[in-house]
Amino acid sequence: YFCVFAHHNIATMGRRPFRCYRYQKNKPYIKSRYCRGVPESKIRIYDVGAKKAPVDLFPFVAHLVCDEKQQISSEALEACRIAINKHLTNTVGKDGYHIRVRVHPFHVIRANKMLSCAGADRLSSGMRHSYGKPIGVAARVDIGQVLLSVRGKDASEPHIVEAIRRGKFKFAGRQKILKSLKWGFTKYPREDYVNMRKNGELSADGNIVKVHNRHGLLEQSALYLAGQE
């Protein structure tokens, strides 16, 4: 009567496919002093390309809009960013666009680690103490939420739309590509933007615009100093 118990070939199972975590089933579960040991997010850069380009240089903007209530992993966001960046670098050039990822992965994904090896049934506890360990992070997104935006010149429009189309394949579910009527990353429609820039209500401030409203001291008012008021 003897029993050989092989400890050397014990191995935990590999990463789960993300179809296990695609839907928002649980409450938001974020990294905190109670939830420690969370792996770092795969996406670390959210603005790529000519992010310091002046607001007047890139009037065209297109958005990738989510059409489902779901979760998107940080790995998928990073893969999408890389795919769009690569296509635009090859077609438009690295100074001809600005990509901004608009969702951030704060939701922590858990897995109840199981042993998958010879003799695992003797070692593993099954569903006892089954609250999982953090294995990654994901973004919780809603229907109609903008996942990412790309701004560029009007001549680059077909390349930008094609790049976003290629990035779509990194996500589960359905997304839509929308061409915006606004000027760049601002909140103003194109005609309004041009008029407000001409009459001094807006002034360029890096890649966004400053609004000169009619408040404050006259000596600090750009409209008053320009003779508008």
Side-chain angles (χ1 to χ4, degrees):
Y1 298 103
F2 67 96
C3 176
V4 177
F5 198 66
H7 277 287
H8 60 275
N9 64 351
I10 293 175
T12 54
M13 61 187 279
R15 272 186 62 87
R16 287 185 188 174
F18 204 76
R19 62 170 175 263
C20 307
Y21 302 104
R22 179 175 159 188
Y23 298 109
Q24 295 185 22
K25 290 182 177 177
N26 302 325
K27 293 186 176 74
Y29 181 63
I30 59 165
K31 184 177 173 182
S32 66
R33 60 184 174 175
Y34 311 109
C35 169
R36 297 179 301 276
V38 177
E40 208 58 63
S41 168
K42 287 288 184 292
I43 181 165
R44 305 293 299 164
I45 301 167
Y46 291 87
D47 280 81
V48 202
K51 52 186 181 239
K52 291 188 177 175
V55 66
D56 293 334
L57 189 61
F58 293 155
F60 175 76
V61 63
H63 306 293
L64 181 62
V65 179
C66 188
D67 211 20
E68 294 193 32
K69 185 183 171 81
Q70 61 175 16
Q71 297 179 157
I72 295 177
S73 68
S74 63
E75 289 88 352
L77 288 170
E78 174 70 356
C80 178
R81 183 187 70 83
I82 289 170
I84 294 176
N85 191 33
K86 190 165 191 178
H87 183 75
L88 287 176
T89 305
N90 293 339
T91 53
V92 180
K94 67 180 194 301
D95 295 325
Y97 64 93
H98 175 194
I99 306 166
R100 178 172 285 168
V101 180
R102 303 271 295 273
V103 291
H104 289 243
F106 291 123
H107 180 71
V108 177
I109 300 295
R110 301 188 302 262
N112 178 23
K113 293 261 174 68
M114 295 282 202
L115 297 172
S116 55
C117 58
D121 50 341
R122 294 187 239 177
L123 296 174
S124 68
S125 54
M127 291 302 285
R128 282 185 192 169
H129 306 297
S130 59
Y131 194 83
K133 295 271 191 298
I135 57 162
V137 284
R140 293 163 67 91
V141 296
D142 217 329
I143 295 171
Q145 187 170 347
V146 177
L147 300 178
L148 57 88
S149 306
V150 185
R151 68 185 179 120
K153 294 178 178 172
D154 283 327
S156 312
E157 179 184 325
H159 301 301
I160 289 173
V161 171
E162 171 62 17
I164 296 176
R165 191 191 69 82
R166 292 184 180 204
K168 270 202 327 182
F169 296 120
K170 307 298 178 187
F171 297 141
R174 176 172 291 191
Q175 293 82 30
K176 288 177 177 167
I177 302 169
L178 299 184
K179 291 191 273 191
S180 177
L181 301 174
K182 307 278 169 56
W183 183 288
F185 287 163
T186 67
K187 62 181 181 180
Y188 302 102
R190 286 192 172 212
E191 295 82 17
D192 298 359
Y193 178 86
V194 172
N195 295 334
M196 290 169 85
R197 285 284 281 126
K198 276 180 186 166
N199 64 27
E201 282 182 63
L202 296 178
S203 66
D205 184 28
N207 60 14
I208 53 170
V209 283
K210 235 181 215 169
V211 185
H212 297 296
N213 51 21
R214 292 161 175 81
H215 295 281
L217 301 172
L218 282 178
E219 57 264 25
Q220 293 175 358
S221 167
L223 292 172
Y224 179 73
L225 295 175
Q228 292 285 329
E229 300 282 306

